[in-house]
Amino acid sequence: MAARSPHAQQLLRCSVQLLLAREELPAGLQLASPSQGALQLEVLPGAEDADVTVTDEYNTFSNAVKRCRSQKKENSVFSQRTDEASAAQYFQFYGCLSQQQNMMQDFVRTATYHRAIVQNYTDFTDKVVLDVGCGSGILSFFAVQAGARRVYAVEASSMAKYAELLVRSNNLSDKITVLAGKIEEISLPENVDVVISEPMGYMLFNERMLESYLHSKKWLKSNGMMFPTYSDIHLAPFSDEQLYMEHYSRANFWYQEWFYGVNLSSLRSAAVDEYLQQPVVDTFDVRILMAQTVKYTINFIEATEEDLHRVEIPFVFQMMQSGLIHGLAFWFDVAFVGSLVTVWLSTAPTEPLTHWYQVRCLLQTPLFAKEGETLSGKVLLVANKRSLVVCLKPQHHLSLSKSCAETRSGIDPKSITFLILKKIPYGCAPLFKNSAFHVLFVLPLRLMKMAAFGRV
């Protein structure tokens, strides 16, 4: 190394702001001061190779950060629970402006969120807010309108760049910070007073974003608030002969015994099963409901991510009319509990229509019930890396005594219906089965949050 000139003997100091939380620092990298969030680099450059010395130091630090980020991503809660290809397609779907427009144009959804935030302005004034899955950032703008001092808008899809553009064009860069990434993987410089999000999917649980919403509580102060605060999912038996036959008759194609010389009839039974396995996302007249609803509540303040991995909803319905039960209908409500007012967003069939509609799951074999009898059983929701599996296990009790025939597993396989709420845009491959039953219902993401009206 060449001799150092006198003017090059003083230390060259620079401060590099870390984009990582303290617990994310790779081994061997220490903060200069426990009270600071920057790494202090001190370099004594030589007369000729000063640039080389500085570059080596930078590369070492940069590579360590990259390795740490890569390891953090691989070990994140999101990556552990979600199939990589599924996540890529999911975020591609929500990276489209057309999908954001569809949700923003849902007047009930957007107006209710605006009212819940603005009317509870005391909960936002001079507060720090976290917007989980911000999309276009519309909820972040509402928070600023309610007086928020700072909003961290987190978005994992390519929509983050559009949200950033909206923030700049509305001159709110000093109020809203857009963070591109998943809430499970990003870091915030401070804890927040309020978490806002729109994490609900079809039948509430679809898309599994509720888990990301609950995960965000790690940044919430002990006395912090969540908007929405809790949710009620409702279910009830329904009778709809036309709907059932509409799905059943789709299999008639496979009843042909001479299709270009080929007998297809051996596949008709399998085709009937497949068509009846499709859930129906639409709206309906409440008069088809045969009993009062059963309600299941999830408190987002108290619930954990693990609570949503397996949700069991027992039900006992007192039949209000006689007839065939063709399946169960589902919808949900969410409550925004503020200091000033509590605002409800409902997707019930008795309320104005939203882009969530309602969901109906058909039984493979309809059950006949008389007025005054009971229908009991449970709905079991089990999550996996690509979907949410919904298992319907109705046990029809006649006069509170007779029930369906039992097998070794304790439940008649014919009385079990399954629904998979997919987290990928396309494809209907069965993802869940065991020795007693197979997956029956599949709901692709192409049905999620679409604007088309009517049955899909």
Side-chain angles (χ1 to χ4, degrees), residues 380-431:
L380 178 63
L381 301 98
V382 182
N384 62 43
K385 284 194 172 185
R386 297 183 66 194
S387 60
L388 181 68
V389 179
V390 181
C391 170
L392 309 180
K393 298 182 179 179
Q395 295 175 322
H396 186 212
H397 296 268
L398 301 178
S399 302
L400 301 177
S401 58
K402 296 181 181 179
S403 64
C404 61
E406 295 187 350
T407 65
R408 292 181 181 179
S409 63
I411 302 175
D412 180 2
K414 294 182 180 179
S415 72
I416 301 177
T417 303
F418 291 88
L419 164 64
I420 284 192
L421 297 180
K422 299 274 286 180
K423 200 175 180 180
I424 58 177
Y426 302 104
C428 301
L431 299 174

Side-chain angles (χ1 to χ4, degrees), residues 138-189:
I138 188 66
L139 301 187
S140 297
F141 289 101
F142 293 167
V144 171
Q145 292 172 12
R149 171 169 55 88
R150 167 66 64 183
V151 181
Y152 296 101
V154 180
E155 175 57 40
S157 77
S158 59
M159 189 56 55
K161 63 183 179 183
Y162 295 117
E164 178 64 35
L165 179 59
L166 283 180
V167 170
R168 291 200 306 268
S169 63
N170 283 271
N171 300 316
L172 288 176
S173 297
D174 60 328
K175 296 283 188 179
I176 302 175
T177 300
V178 178
L179 300 175
K182 305 176 183 68
I183 189 62
E184 294 85 355
E185 298 170 7
I186 60 95
S187 295
L188 300 182

Side-chain angles (χ1 to χ4, degrees), residues 106 108-109 113 198-207 210 228 230-235 284 293-298 300 329-336 344-349 351-352 354-359 421 449:
D106 182 338
V108 175
R109 167 195 180 270
Y113 266 89
E198 192 266 80
M200 301 87 70
Y202 284 151
M203 212 170 127
L204 181 63
F205 298 100
N206 195 23
E207 302 175 342
L210 281 177
Y230 65 89
S231 179
D232 294 332
I233 185 168
H234 300 265
L235 57 149
F284 52 82
T293 64
V294 167
K295 179 178 70 175
Y296 183 85
T297 301
I298 297 177
F300 300 135
F330 298 83
W331 63 89
F332 65 88
D333 306 325
V334 293
F336 303 84
W344 283 91
L345 170 59
S346 177
T347 66
E351 300 298 323
T354 71
H355 75 284
W356 287 286
Y357 300 94
Q358 294 89 41
V359 175
L421 297 180
K449 300 189 174 183

